[in-house]
Amino acid sequence: MPDVVRTRHGATVLMCSPDGPPVVDEQSAVDLIATLWGQDVQWLALPLPRLGEDFLVLRTRVAGTVVQKLQQYGFKVAVVGDITEQVAASTALRDFVRESNSGRQLWFVADEAELDARLAAA
């Protein structure tokens, strides 16, 4: 299934396919951005399988590097997938997710329905 741009609750969102190229470092984030050149996309919905195992391990700094690069180019990011176990196992990740979800640039949502609810409320 390819990546698809959709309008959801007034926001243009790139719904990334779970089986697309992994976004695991700064270069792969730039590669994803390059595919969007000329499109009016505000949000990137990135499913967990697309992000790799190190994304939720904060000490690897993968999450910070990837999200920072995407945000430098003006994209907001929604990480889509169930991270209940990872959050329960890491106080740092729990705090990062809570702080991110209180903002407007990076959200962690369990599924597309939660993403839709957040976009509708924004």
Side-chain angles (χ1 to χ4, degrees):
M1 170 170 70
D3 297 346
V4 178
V5 176
R6 295 202 173 121
T7 301
R8 300 176 89 119
H9 301 282
T12 308
V13 182
L14 175 69
M15 302 301 298
C16 293
S17 169
D19 57 356
V23 182
V24 295
D25 57 19
E26 185 174 358
Q27 183 58 52
S28 55
V30 170
D31 293 344
L32 177 61
I33 292 165
T35 68
L36 297 171
W37 205 252
Q39 297 185 55
D40 183 28
V41 172
Q42 299 163 311
W43 281 90
L44 303 177
L46 295 168
L48 278 178
R50 189 91 177 249
L51 295 172
E53 295 176 18
D54 286 343
F55 188 85
L56 295 175
V57 180
L58 296 183
R59 71 177 174 273
T60 66
R61 299 183 181 189
V62 171
T65 300
V66 167
V67 170
Q68 181 180 25
K69 183 55 66 176
L70 295 171
Q71 289 179 348
Q72 282 176 338
Y73 282 86
F75 298 107
K76 298 174 184 177
V77 180
V79 175
V80 182
D82 183 8
I83 60 170
T84 306
E85 289 181 29
Q86 294 92 331
V87 167
S90 170
T91 302
L93 180 60
R94 182 183 65 233
D95 293 343
F96 179 66
V97 169
R98 184 178 58 245
E99 186 174 325
S100 297
N101 281 345
S102 68
R104 298 174 189 230
Q105 300 292 319
L106 172 63
W107 295 339
F108 290 84
V109 296
D111 51 33
E112 288 186 37
E114 186 178 349
L115 175 60
D116 283 337
R118 297 281 317 252
L119 288 170

